[in-house]
Amino acid sequence: MADADLAAPLLSSDHIVVTVHSSAAPSASANPFRALGSDQELSVAPAVTVDPFRNDTAAVEGFYEYAKIVVCLPVVVLRLVLFGLCLAVGYVATKVALEGWKDKDNPMPKWRSRVMWITRLCARCILFAFGYQWIKRKGRPAPREVAPIIVSNHVSYIEPIFYFYELFATIVASESHDSKPFVGTIIRAMQVIYVNRFVPSSRRQAIREIKRRASCDKFPRVLLFPEGTTTNGKNLISFQLGAFIPGYPIQPVIVRYPHVHFDQSWGNVSLGKLMFRMFTQFHNFFEVEYLPVISPLDDKETAVHFRERTSRAIATAMNAIQTGHSYGDIMLHTKAQEAKMENPSCFMVEMAKVESLFHISSTEAVDFLDKFLAMNPDPNGRVQYHDFLRVLRLKACPLSAQIFAFIDVERSGTITFRQFLYGSGHVMTQPGFHQACEEAFVGCGGAVKAYIVERELRDFIQLSIPSWNEDEVHNLFMSFDDNNDGRIDKDDFLSCLRRNPLLIAFFIPQPQQNGLDVDGVREIM
């Protein structure tokens, strides 16, 4: 072979291309949201191990429990008869007390309140039928003029019955309770304050009504369960502000259900099953402790600080810790349970903390969970990279890899719902997020007309990511085009980014990428 041939390069091109295919999640570490003002890496609070809603004895287990149920079956019949009789008598007495009374915005007249004593005694008999032959009390309720508002932890449906008998207090309840047979009539006699927890105007109206009732000694005292839902009584979850905004003295009350064989908390047990278990117990233990009255420090104390002092007093008396869970976690747990997840509890994220950090409502969090569940999480509640891309309709590329790696704070190659929600919330709360959304719409063609079409979105995306082809951009376009009319107006565009805030990374300036190219191809000079 000639010397010239030996000196000639084996390849005529200036570089070679080595293709690396890997199904593992990418290891990109650059922050794709730095242009929004996100200079720090994502921080995700560790998941708490406690489940404040779990009933410890949800299933009947052991010879003793089965034998006790069999022995108590004859007693169940008697208790059911007593329960039905008391409910009927109480209902009739309540109808008499309410007959002809139209001015329900003012306190109930005294003679009507005296008639309601019949219903209150029936309520005590109902507690007897449920197995509460005696109730242990510690402390005393303060006079109504001293503490017009009472707050209590909430474990079961037993507390409202007890407080109705003991205090005849006005409660704050969901509007759905009014339509319940028998119970709805009795609740109306308590001059209940209705509230829709998902409608801000309804919550504001309820707070105004609480303040109005508390300011007038002729009204019964107002009873609130600031946790907003039932727990297992072992922990205290976050308090809502409704009881503390009016600024009146509050008496905290603690309820306990000591038990060995049967946990009486509502938790994740159906109402019918819980009632049956109560009927088949020899006796159910119930304790009530009235704590000292807590008053606002001064006119300058905020409702948040007042709430913290009250919740701390209750948690100390319970010898329990307070978690950041709320009713929103029940919604997430229920959604995961409906999706047949093996461990629904791992999808709870302490919604009170999430709402405080990112201003994400419970309904919005459920929407994020819907999207996450579509990613086919494994039994441990973790999602792989390719499923993440599939649901968000993205293509594997360096930027997609960086988005996933930004959420994957554990660098495990998978993400949890907590990380997905925290990552999405973190992006939405960046100072430049809303402006970036507006500028993205303008940059895609929205400055000329009130909508953008697929060609304009493709031109914009391919300008920064040339490797995306028409079909891949079309998938992304369909994420925005909800009504399939071939165009995206501004409201649809901004709404989609609100539901999928991670997508904003494709519309903001990114530094030059030097890592893996599309499909795992690296160019080596």
Side-chain angles (χ1 to χ4, degrees), residues 56 219 362 379 391 394 398:
D56 288 336
F219 275 108
S362 298
V391 172
L394 300 178

mmCIF file of all heavy atoms in Angstrom, residues 56 219 362 379 391 394 398:
data_model
loop_
_atom_site.group_PDB
_atom_site.id
_atom_site.type_symbol
_atom_site.label_atom_id
_atom_site.label_comp_id
_atom_site.label_asym_id
_atom_site.label_seq_id
_atom_site.Cartn_x
_atom_site.Cartn_y
_atom_site.Cartn_z
ATOM 1 N N ASP A 56 -57.335 2.218 62.771
ATOM 2 C CA ASP A 56 -56.452 1.104 63.134
ATOM 3 C C ASP A 56 -57.135 -0.256 63.107
ATOM 4 O O ASP A 56 -56.464 -1.289 63.041
ATOM 5 C CB ASP A 56 -55.867 1.331 64.533
ATOM 6 C CG ASP A 56 -54.829 2.437 64.546
ATOM 7 O OD1 ASP A 56 -54.244 2.697 63.476
ATOM 8 O OD2 ASP A 56 -54.617 3.047 65.607
ATOM 9 N N PHE A 219 -78.105 34.372 70.694
ATOM 10 C CA PHE A 219 -77.848 33.208 69.840
ATOM 11 C C PHE A 219 -77.127 32.134 70.657
ATOM 12 O O PHE A 219 -76.399 32.448 71.603
ATOM 13 C CB PHE A 219 -76.973 33.603 68.651
ATOM 14 C CG PHE A 219 -77.732 34.156 67.477
ATOM 15 C CD1 PHE A 219 -77.666 35.505 67.175
ATOM 16 C CD2 PHE A 219 -78.499 33.328 66.676
ATOM 17 C CE1 PHE A 219 -78.353 36.019 66.089
ATOM 18 C CE2 PHE A 219 -79.189 33.829 65.582
ATOM 19 C CZ PHE A 219 -79.128 35.175 65.296
ATOM 20 N N SER A 362 -57.252 22.686 46.553
ATOM 21 C CA SER A 362 -57.444 21.236 46.619
ATOM 22 C C SER A 362 -57.943 20.687 45.293
ATOM 23 O O SER A 362 -57.502 19.623 44.843
ATOM 24 C CB SER A 362 -58.415 20.886 47.743
ATOM 25 O OG SER A 362 -57.904 21.288 48.994
ATOM 26 N N PRO A 379 -46.364 0.419 42.017
ATOM 27 C CA PRO A 379 -46.957 0.218 43.350
ATOM 28 C C PRO A 379 -46.405 1.143 44.419
ATOM 29 O O PRO A 379 -47.079 1.378 45.430
ATOM 30 C CB PRO A 379 -46.630 -1.254 43.656
ATOM 31 C CG PRO A 379 -46.545 -1.907 42.313
ATOM 32 C CD PRO A 379 -45.938 -0.874 41.422
ATOM 33 N N VAL A 391 -47.556 11.376 28.769
ATOM 34 C CA VAL A 391 -48.743 12.093 29.230
ATOM 35 C C VAL A 391 -48.649 13.581 28.933
ATOM 36 O O VAL A 391 -49.649 14.214 28.565
ATOM 37 C CB VAL A 391 -48.957 11.839 30.737
ATOM 38 C CG1 VAL A 391 -50.070 12.722 31.294
ATOM 39 C CG2 VAL A 391 -49.279 10.368 30.979
ATOM 40 N N LEU A 394 -44.642 15.076 25.182
ATOM 41 C CA LEU A 394 -43.332 15.638 24.875
ATOM 42 C C LEU A 394 -42.467 14.593 24.191
ATOM 43 O O LEU A 394 -42.728 13.398 24.261
ATOM 44 C CB LEU A 394 -42.639 16.111 26.158
ATOM 45 C CG LEU A 394 -43.368 17.188 26.966
ATOM 46 C CD1 LEU A 394 -42.589 17.525 28.218
ATOM 47 C CD2 LEU A 394 -43.601 18.440 26.129
ATOM 48 N N PRO A 398 -32.928 17.007 25.118
ATOM 49 C CA PRO A 398 -32.213 17.542 26.280
ATOM 50 C C PRO A 398 -33.083 18.387 27.203
ATOM 51 O O PRO A 398 -32.959 18.309 28.418
ATOM 52 C CB PRO A 398 -31.089 18.372 25.651
ATOM 53 C CG PRO A 398 -30.840 17.707 24.335
ATOM 54 C CD PRO A 398 -32.182 17.243 23.868
#
